[in-house]
Amino acid sequence: MDMNKLELTQVWDKKFPQSDKVNHRKVTFKNRFGIELAADLYEPKGMEDKSAALAIAGPFGAVKEMVSGRYAQAMAERGFVTIAFDPSFTGESGGQPRNTASPDINTEDFSAAIDYLTTLPEVDADRIGVIGICGWGGMALNAAAIDTRIKATVTSTMYNMSEQMHNGYQFAPVSGAELHKTKEDLNAQRTADAIAGEPQYVGGFSKKRPVGAPQFLLDYWDFYMSPERGYIDRAPACSTGWTKTTPLAFINTPLDTFLGEIETPVMLIHGEKAHSRYFSEEVFVRLKGDNKRLMIISGANHTDLYDNLNVVPFNDIEKFFKDNLK
């Protein structure tokens, strides 16, 4: 695909049915690095006054047709103007190489979405919030720490990708020697990529369900590789995975450094049985003041909050934003 000219799919290709309560259209906008992002804009039908608005992205490895769009449409049904975007380098958005990530650029992507929302005559620019899902939960919080236009933030089944790529799961103790070896391996890959003239990739799911894998990986596979739930071939998790050198920037750029500077309300939502639950619990402790809420969904795992409509607490999310985007 020629990434200098985005080629947007115009047919409805979402992994969820289209709502008859919402108007939908494809839009594009640029971030401050000059990367053009593709997005789906959802607006409540029959709206008459300026509305609060939400910018939504995630999960890490997904595209807007899968989860962020589902959240965006559901919140538009509840009266918000919403935008679900493909972050830089992924999906229908621009940027090279494909399927890579950067904590700085992907934090900026949220602010660029807010830039776009502020230009819409139907949006009240003083009432804008964000929703970050999975790995984009960490980016959403990082954006809330720097972008004062974000008046409220929700994260769902959040991952701190910097922490995960630096230490692995569950804050596993990593020695200095182990971390140095990781850096050596990643930089050796950079050399190999430079010689080859193109990056190598890792992390895409196989077509066959793995045997003997941990349950959380099976949960991921069941979502991403199921045509009924999440599979779409342009999503990183469903295709190549990520560039092998993606962890370099995250290892060296913690996303959670300035969490204590967030002065606007934050609601963290996580499943009781999610392997990743500790990320939200750790963030909750570090957020300051009384502007925070931790909502644990009984019996839910990590991916239940992607698409299980009996689990995703849309009514609670609606109330949180209506209470805080006034």
Side-chain angles (χ1 to χ4, degrees), residues 148-163:
T148 57
R149 299 172 301 172
I150 297 173
K151 305 304 184 184
T153 302
V154 167
T155 68
S156 181
T157 202
M158 177 229 158
Y159 254 65
N160 178 340
M161 297 309 300
S162 293
E163 175 62 39

Side-chain angles (χ1 to χ4, degrees), residues 3-16:
M3 298 314 298
N4 294 317
K5 180 177 175 56
L6 299 188
E7 299 176 5
L8 306 183
T9 302
Q10 296 301 326
V11 298
W12 184 265
D13 61 348
K14 319 305 180 200
K15 307 308 293 190
F16 50 90

